[in-house]
Amino acid sequence: MGATCFAIQAGILLVLSGAGVPDTAANAAGFLASAQVNFLLSSAFTWADRRLPEPGARPWAARWVSFQLTVAISLACNTGVFALVSPYLPPVAASAVAVCAGALLTYLASDHLVFRRRKAPQTDHFGDTHDDHRRPAAAFPGPNGRTAAD
């Protein structure tokens, strides 16, 4: 997924810089476009276990808005690093360094904010583990309306 998004970003960077757009602006445009693909891929693959409709999960639009706020912060980090290293490296290499600088920030924000798990409502545990919420057979009504244990 990261390679796909980087390829999108680097491709846009090369096309725009080849058309005369300053490298920093071209990198930022590529970053913003690849971020939208990143959100879709993150929703479908990386955080697929946190898909809607998980009880108490954040609606898709709220996740997208949260992701955009993360993208804004990550873009500032990415652009700053790109501007610092681009005088010394070719544009795609400078972009790669900038992407690496912001990757940890984006991952942590996605895990803890954008795609975070909501606490499930408290339930009783009837099985052998905390993950087993099945009621014992004695709790189910029998054929005469009483519980199976009666």
Side-chain angles (χ1 to χ4, degrees):
M1 181 176 77
T4 300
C5 291
F6 180 70
I8 292 168
Q9 180 175 348
I12 292 172
L13 165 66
L14 290 173
V15 168
L16 292 179
S17 64
V21 175
D23 286 348
T24 303
N27 183 64
F31 178 88
L32 290 172
S34 73
Q36 305 318 303
V37 174
N38 189 345
F39 176 77
L40 295 173
L41 293 174
S42 292
S43 295
F45 299 107
T46 306
W47 311 109
D49 64 323
R50 301 178 190 184
R51 282 188 189 161
L52 301 175
E54 177 182 314
R58 298 171 72 200
W60 188 87
R63 286 181 170 185
W64 186 81
V65 169
S66 296
F67 192 80
Q68 298 313 307
L69 294 173
T70 300
V71 165
I73 294 167
S74 187
L75 176 61
C77 173
N78 183 291
T79 302
V81 170
F82 183 85
L84 288 172
V85 300
S86 63
Y88 309 104
L89 297 171
V92 173
S95 183
V97 171
V99 165
C100 289
L104 181 61
L105 169 73
T106 301
Y107 177 83
L108 291 173
S110 292
D111 184 39
H112 295 291
L113 301 172
V114 179
F115 298 100
R116 72 179 176 260
R117 292 187 192 275
R118 295 289 185 162
K119 285 191 173 189
Q122 185 67 29
T123 61
D124 294 327
H125 300 283
F126 296 100
D128 295 331
T129 69
H130 287 292
D131 294 329
D132 192 349
H133 299 281
R134 294 174 293 170
R135 294 196 179 273
F140 293 110
N144 59 2
R146 296 185 189 156
T147 62
D150 290 340

